[in-house]
Structures are given as structure tokens and as C-alpha cells.
Amino acid sequence: IWSGKVRVLLSVLKPMIMIIIIIMILVATLWIISSLRLKCPPMLLLKKSLPAFLVAFTSASSISAFQIGIETCEKKLGVNKNLTSFIYPLGSVIYMPSSVVYFTVLICSFAEIYQIAVNPTWLVMAVVIATLITIAMPPIPGADILCYSILFSGLGIPDDAIILATAVGIILDYVDTGANVMLLIFQIACDAKRLDSLDARILLEK
């Protein structure tokens, strides 16, 4: 901002809004699908999953929401304790569908801003690299900057974009983390249902 690049900074408002909208659509879609699979009223499922989402959303930290996420799966959704203790820690590290959306849309937006030639091969590479990066990204502060460096260097985006990406990440990290935690809870419940490791009485208990 001080360097007079307000116009460039404003150019990322469009991708930010797009990312938020796409993540909301993703969460809403999987919420309804999970509700149908679990045969649980949508509002009841949302009510039980909301506390973990709020902790992750307000802190932008999946670690802060770890314990309440475990308790949500076991005590509110009726997922078997042994299954939860194995899947939840693993899923909180590698299951990040919201982050894949976030990185992919951001990369494509920066390609437009910096006038990078885009073709089908480039798009496939962007999605693949974004997916691998989210799995490999350590859950520590500043890890996203390292991810941006790898993504941008691999796809020909100038290093200047890292500054803008970091500014965007400060805001969107809250939405991204909250969505990932909620989607993980939905996925664990559906997996438990499929594996016959779900207590329907606890799930449907209001």
C-alpha cells in the first residue's frame, strides 16, 4: 500500500470473493450429501458440527479445533472412538479440500493478473501441485508462504505475487481452516457410517 500499489492490491478482491463463494458452495454441497448419507436432518448435523467450525474459523487454526473436533465426532455424531482417534489426526493434516480450491483459484487469478499464458496442461499442473502442496504443508505459521513460493516458481508466476498472496492469506485463512475442519467432520461421519462404526442413536439425539 505504501509503495503506491493500491490498484494491484484491489485486483485480488475478485479472486478473494470467488474463493469464499466456491468454498461456501463446496461446504453446503457436502453438508447436504452427508446429511442424506447419514439419514440425519441437515440442521441437526449442522448444529452438532458448528462448534468445531467456529473454533477453527475464529482462530484460523486446525490445532485449536482438534480436541473439540474429536469430541464432536465421538460424542455428538456417534463415531467409534478407535476410528476417530486414527482418522481425525491423519485427516487434519492431509484432508484439505477447501485449501485445494483456495490455492487453485488464487493461482489462476494471479496468472490473469500477471498475464501468464494458460493452457489445459498448465491448469492440470496447477490443480495437481495445489493438491500435493496442501498434503505436504506443515501445520505451522508461515507454511503458506513456502507453499506460495513452490507454486509460483513451478507455474511461472513472478515472485512479487507472494506479497499479495500473503495479504490474501491473512484474511482467507480463517474461512479456509473453518471449512476444512467442518468438511473433515462430515467425511469422518460418512466413513464411519459406511464401515458400520457409527452409533445412530447418538447421531440423531437432539
Side-chain angles (χ1 to χ4, degrees):
I1 294 174
W2 281 111
S3 63
K5 295 183 178 179
V6 178
R7 185 175 299 175
V8 178
L9 199 60
L10 290 175
S11 66
V12 298
L13 285 177
K14 178 183 174 182
M16 285 174 64
I17 294 171
M18 285 178 59
I19 290 168
I20 292 173
I21 291 173
I22 294 172
I23 289 176
M24 288 175 63
I25 292 172
L26 176 64
V27 172
T29 302
L30 294 183
W31 166 42
I32 298 301
I33 291 174
S34 299
S35 177
L36 293 172
R37 287 179 177 174
L38 297 170
K39 298 180 181 179
C40 175
M43 295 310 298
L44 179 61
L45 180 61
L46 180 64
K47 179 182 176 182
K48 292 190 172 190
S49 307
L50 201 56
F53 165 78
L54 291 175
V55 171
F57 177 75
T58 54
S59 65
S61 170
S62 58
I63 296 176
S64 298
F66 184 85
Q67 189 58 43
I68 191 170
I70 292 281
E71 292 175 0
T72 298
C73 290
E74 293 178 3
K75 299 179 180 179
K76 294 185 178 180
L77 300 181
V79 179
N80 181 277
K81 185 176 181 179
N82 293 330
L83 186 65
T84 302
S85 62
F86 173 73
I87 294 183
Y88 195 94
L90 181 64
S92 63
V93 175
I94 66 173
Y95 184 77
M96 299 183 182
S98 175
S99 297
V100 174
V101 170
Y102 166 51
F103 281 127
T104 303
V105 175
L106 194 66
I107 292 167
C108 293
S109 300
F110 280 142
E112 180 183 355
I113 292 171
Y114 290 95
Q115 299 180 346
I116 306 296
V118 174
N119 54 51
T121 303
W122 189 95
L123 289 173
V124 171
M125 284 182 58
V127 174
V128 170
I129 295 174
T131 303
L132 295 175
I133 282 293
T134 57
I135 294 174
M137 183 171 61
I140 57 173
D144 55 338
I145 297 176
L146 176 61
C147 294
Y148 296 141
S149 301
I150 297 171
L151 282 166
F152 295 164
S153 63
L155 296 168
I157 298 174
D159 292 339
D160 291 349
I162 295 177
I163 299 172
L164 284 174
T166 304
V168 172
I170 291 172
I171 299 171
L172 294 185
D173 195 24
Y174 295 90
V175 177
D176 180 38
T177 305
N180 280 329
V181 168
M182 179 165 272
L183 292 173
L184 176 60
I185 290 172
F186 292 159
Q187 187 62 51
I188 290 175
C190 289
D191 287 343
K193 174 77 172 180
R194 181 171 52 85
L195 297 171
D196 198 23
S197 298
L198 186 74
D199 190 333
R201 293 174 298 175
I202 297 176
L203 175 65
L204 298 176
E205 187 179 59
K206 295 183 180 180

